[in-house]
């Protein structure tokens, strides 16, 4: 009776063996042994267990808890499992989107460097005598100057992001 009641009430409260063990300051194997009937909690631990599970000691020691509650709990746990799966899928999707964003940033930086390299840094040869083109030349010069100094840092960060968000083999 005790072993079934501990297990049923623990699951009804939505606790894993590990979580219950942490609340009771015991190892998970202790909870497992109680639920398998290989050992029983001492009187002090039984009182603490009843407090953590918010259940009277008499209920823990009494008759087996009705299966109806177990069926309701099973339905709730199935719904929670579906929700957990959906959350896990969202997390995977966010990670994948972030991964491809990092790849895009790296590709954009490489392409921009190639364009600047192939253009041969035209701002050095720019004709600043025309005031309208001089403004464009200064703006391009400022862009190139800023890009050449910040892009390597951004590239390293994006590359690190690619590594950190890659799909892990399990």
């Amino acid at each position: 009776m005790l072993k079934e009641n501990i297990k049923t009430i623990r699951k009804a409260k939505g606790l894993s063996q590990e979580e219950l063990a942490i609340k009771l300051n015991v190892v998970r194997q202790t909870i497992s042994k109680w639920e398998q009937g290989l050992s029983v909690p001492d009187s002090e631990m039984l009182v603490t267990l009843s407090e953590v599970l918010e259940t009277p000691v008499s209920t823990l020691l009494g008759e087996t808890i009705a299966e109806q509650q177990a069926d309701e709990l099973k339905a709730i746990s199935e719904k929670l499992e579906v929700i957990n799966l959906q959350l896990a899928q969202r997390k995977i999707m966010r990670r994948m989107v972030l991964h491809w964003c990092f790849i895009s940033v790296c590709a954009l930086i490489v392409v921009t460097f190639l364009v600047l390299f192939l253009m041969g840094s035209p701002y050095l040869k720019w004709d600043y005598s025309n005031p309208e083109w001089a403004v464009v030349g200064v703006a391009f010069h400022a862009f190139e100057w800023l890009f050449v100094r910040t892009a390597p840092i951004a590239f390293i960060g994006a590359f690190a992001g690619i590594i950190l968000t890659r799909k892990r083999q399990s």
Side-chain angles (χ1 to χ4, degrees):
M1 283 182 255
L2 177 62
K3 66 180 184 176
E4 292 93 5
N5 289 347
I6 292 173
K7 185 174 186 177
T8 305
I9 295 170
R10 173 183 60 78
K11 287 184 175 182
K13 299 291 182 180
L15 295 171
S16 66
Q17 287 183 346
E18 184 71 30
E19 292 167 333
L20 181 57
I22 290 170
K23 289 184 178 200
L24 294 173
N25 294 322
V26 297
V27 294
R28 185 201 55 79
Q29 289 80 359
T30 302
I31 306 299
S32 177
K33 286 181 180 180
W34 292 345
E35 291 181 358
Q36 293 175 18
L38 300 175
S39 68
V40 293
D42 62 19
S43 59
E44 287 180 31
M45 187 56 70
L46 194 59
V47 171
T48 306
L49 180 63
S50 73
E51 291 171 356
V52 168
L53 295 176
E54 299 170 342
T55 305
V57 174
S58 59
T59 303
L60 286 173
L61 296 173
E63 293 296 316
T64 304
I65 298 172
E67 281 297 317
Q68 181 182 8
Q69 287 180 336
D71 290 340
E72 291 173 9
L73 294 175
K74 185 177 180 182
I76 291 171
S77 68
E78 287 173 356
K79 289 178 184 177
L80 288 174
E81 187 175 339
V82 169
I83 291 170
N84 282 336
L85 286 173
Q86 290 172 343
L87 291 174
Q89 288 172 341
R90 283 186 192 156
K91 183 178 179 181
I92 290 168
M93 185 60 75
R94 279 193 302 262
R95 176 179 233 147
M96 192 170 65
V97 167
L98 192 58
H99 181 75
W100 283 104
C101 286
F102 286 134
I103 289 173
S104 299
V105 167
C106 284
L108 182 65
I109 289 171
V110 169
V111 167
T112 305
F113 262 118
L114 285 174
V115 168
L116 290 174
F117 177 75
L118 294 174
M119 288 175 58
S121 222
Y123 72 86
L124 294 176
K125 303 170 196 158
W126 206 276
D127 179 17
Y128 289 98
S129 61
N130 183 341
E132 292 176 1
W133 286 107
V135 172
V136 174
V138 170
F140 187 75
H141 174 72
F143 165 76
E144 188 174 14
W145 184 87
L146 186 63
F147 179 79
V148 167
R149 280 149 184 80
T150 59
I153 296 167
F155 184 82
I156 291 168
F159 190 75
I162 290 170
I163 292 170
L164 292 174
T165 59
R166 73 186 186 279
K167 185 176 180 181
R168 291 185 174 89
Q169 300 296 330
S170 297

